[in-house]
């Protein structure tokens, strides 16, 4: 007879934690930041006092006219107004023990990543919908003109109106007979984008007007920007060339002690950024918003 030997299995190694360990850390879901890339960013000059000062034309009468020989020339009028915009601060912080910070390699990187993402998301939210009441930034939606087409040339002007027609009407109204604005983007909530992409006719076919690009990603040449910062059933049409983000550096991280943290061997990591979005008063005409998409579509619909 052949003597059977004890079979060695993996379970013979008790309390083993041996494994292929992945170095990256899984991240909880968060909203993508898409507003800031729409605008150009400029670093403020040294000794700015945290204030942007700018001059807008406030009066411009254009009285040029044809005149007969020896007739008096007409007079035009021009005046200006100086305005100011303050930079405001976005901050975040997180307390941590010295042991956690030093003994667990990934914690430092994860804390830095958390603070950077938090700051970026808050900035994106402020750039879109900040109220403009200190210390809030004045976001593009706050600066924009609410356009529901309750009256005027576009009221009751479109048969079987839908959101595509509404966006086209907004573009036409903004450009308004060769005005200087040429809208570059439409900002919408993901749910509303889904709804307009799956619009169908009565026979079930998808509706895709000739002025809408493949996959509905552009409308009349304007890029459709999907953002959860946009409230459902609202949208904004903007000419982003007329907005500028001013920044005092980037996101700054610092470490320090709060209250009795020094004696308890803990510390606080703090993030800070100063920024502002300048949309000149004279250029608010390059920013339209619709506070109720359903109402605006109903207003352009022919009776």
């Amino acid at each position: 007879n052949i003597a059977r030997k004890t079979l060695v299995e993996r379970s013979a190694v008790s309390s083993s934690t041996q494994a292929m360990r992945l170095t990256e850390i899984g991240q909880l879901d968060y909203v993508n930041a898409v507003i800031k890339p729409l605008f150009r960013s400029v670093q403020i000059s040294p000794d700015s006092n945290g204030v942007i000062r700018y001059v807008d034309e406030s009066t411009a009468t254009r009285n040029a006219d044809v005149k007969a020989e020896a007739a008096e020339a007409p007079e035009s009028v021009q005046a200006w107004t100086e305005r100011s915009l303050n930079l405001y601060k976005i901050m975040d912080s997180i307390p941590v023990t010295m042991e956690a910070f030093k003994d667990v390699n990934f914690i430092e990187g994860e804390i830095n990543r958390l603070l950077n993402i938090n700051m970026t998301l808050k900035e994106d939210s402020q750039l879109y919908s900040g109220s403009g009441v200190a210390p809030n930034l004045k976001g593009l939606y706050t600066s924009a003109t609410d356009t529901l087409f309750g009256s005027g040339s576009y009221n009751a002007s479109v048969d079987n109106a839908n959101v595509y027609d509404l966006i086209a009407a907004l573009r036409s109204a903004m450009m308004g007979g060769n005005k200087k604005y040429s809208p570059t983007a439409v900002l919408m909530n993901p749910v509303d984008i889904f709804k307009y992409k799956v619009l169908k006719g009565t026979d079930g076919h998808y509706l895709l007007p000739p002025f809408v690009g493949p996959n509905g990603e552009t409308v009349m040449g304007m890029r459709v920007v999907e953002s959860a910062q946009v409230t459902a059933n609202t949208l904004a049409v903007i000419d982003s060339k007329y907005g500028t983000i001013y920044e005092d550096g980037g996101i700054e991280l610092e470490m320090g002690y709060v209250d009795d943290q020094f004696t308890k061997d803990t510390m606080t990591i703090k993030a800070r950024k100063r920024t502002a979005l300048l949309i000149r008063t004279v250029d608010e005409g390059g920013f339209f918003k619709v506070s109720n998409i359903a109402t605006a579509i109903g207003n352009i619909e022919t009776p």
Side-chain angles (χ1 to χ4, degrees):
N1 293 334
I2 300 175
R4 290 190 173 273
K5 305 297 183 182
T6 301
L7 183 64
V8 177
E9 299 178 339
R10 286 181 301 161
S11 59
V13 183
S14 61
S15 303
S16 173
T17 61
Q18 184 177 359
M20 177 182 174
R21 297 187 180 275
L22 306 181
T23 57
E24 66 272 15
I25 306 299
Q27 299 293 310
L28 292 171
D29 189 23
Y30 56 87
V31 177
N32 283 328
V34 298
I35 306 301
K36 184 178 180 180
L38 297 174
F39 300 99
R40 70 185 183 113
S41 295
V42 175
Q43 290 293 319
I44 63 169
S45 59
D47 200 28
S48 68
N49 196 33
V51 178
I52 305 296
R53 291 199 175 274
Y54 61 99
V55 177
D56 277 347
E57 190 176 48
S58 54
T59 301
T61 60
R62 309 181 192 282
N63 292 328
D65 201 358
V66 293
K67 290 291 182 178
E69 183 178 0
E72 185 176 0
E75 289 186 355
S76 293
V77 178
Q78 193 172 28
W80 302 266
T81 300
E82 183 179 78
R83 308 183 193 278
S84 65
L85 177 71
N86 292 329
L87 270 68
Y88 289 118
K89 187 164 51 179
I90 300 170
M91 298 182 71
D92 197 4
S93 67
I94 188 168
V96 60
T97 67
M98 292 297 185
E99 288 85 351
F101 197 72
K102 290 184 176 180
D103 295 349
V104 185
N105 290 336
F106 71 80
I107 285 183
E108 179 181 0
E110 286 301 296
I111 288 175
N112 289 345
R113 189 209 303 245
L114 175 70
L115 292 175
N116 274 279
I117 290 174
N118 290 355
M119 296 284 289
T120 299
L121 295 181
K122 175 52 69 172
E123 180 184 26
D124 216 51
S125 172
Q126 286 281 299
L127 290 173
Y128 183 72
S129 58
S131 67
V133 178
N136 293 279
L137 277 63
K138 188 175 183 181
L140 71 90
Y141 191 82
T142 303
S143 293
T145 302
D146 199 355
T147 310
L148 291 174
F149 296 120
S151 61
S153 302
Y154 300 93
N155 179 257
S157 62
V158 182
D159 294 333
N160 303 314
N162 59 37
V163 70
Y164 296 116
D165 303 317
L166 174 61
I167 293 171
L170 289 162
R171 178 181 181 274
S172 179
M174 184 182 293
M175 296 182 74
N178 296 320
K179 288 184 180 177
K180 67 180 183 180
Y181 306 113
S182 180
T184 56
V186 183
L187 282 64
M188 298 181 70
N189 182 276
V191 173
D192 293 317
I193 291 177
F194 165 77
K195 288 179 180 179
Y196 91 61
K197 284 186 176 181
V198 298
L199 279 174
K200 298 182 181 71
T202 54
D203 61 354
H205 75 280
Y206 286 98
L207 299 176
L208 191 66
F211 54 82
V212 176
N215 300 320
E217 294 178 356
T218 60
V219 178
M220 299 200 80
M222 297 176 289
R223 175 187 165 205
V224 177
V225 177
E226 180 177 317
S227 175
Q229 304 288 4
V230 182
T231 303
N233 196 39
T234 73
L235 63 80
V237 171
I238 68 170
D239 188 344
S240 60
K241 300 186 298 295
Y242 291 93
T244 302
I245 297 169
Y246 287 90
E247 301 175 299
D248 182 11
I251 297 174
E252 301 173 349
L253 296 178
E254 295 178 334
M255 295 182 289
Y257 302 108
V258 179
D259 299 326
D260 59 355
Q261 284 187 327
F262 179 75
T263 58
K264 289 186 174 180
D265 220 16
T266 62
M267 64 179 175
T268 294
I269 303 175
K270 181 184 68 177
R272 175 182 61 244
K273 180 174 185 179
R274 298 173 70 204
T275 188
L277 171 63
L278 173 61
I279 296 174
R280 290 173 178 262
T281 303
V282 294
D283 287 326
E284 290 180 350
F287 295 80
F288 282 179
K289 65 185 176 187
V290 173
S291 57
N292 190 306
I293 291 175
T295 297
I297 292 174
N299 287 340
I300 66 171
E301 172 86 36
T302 54

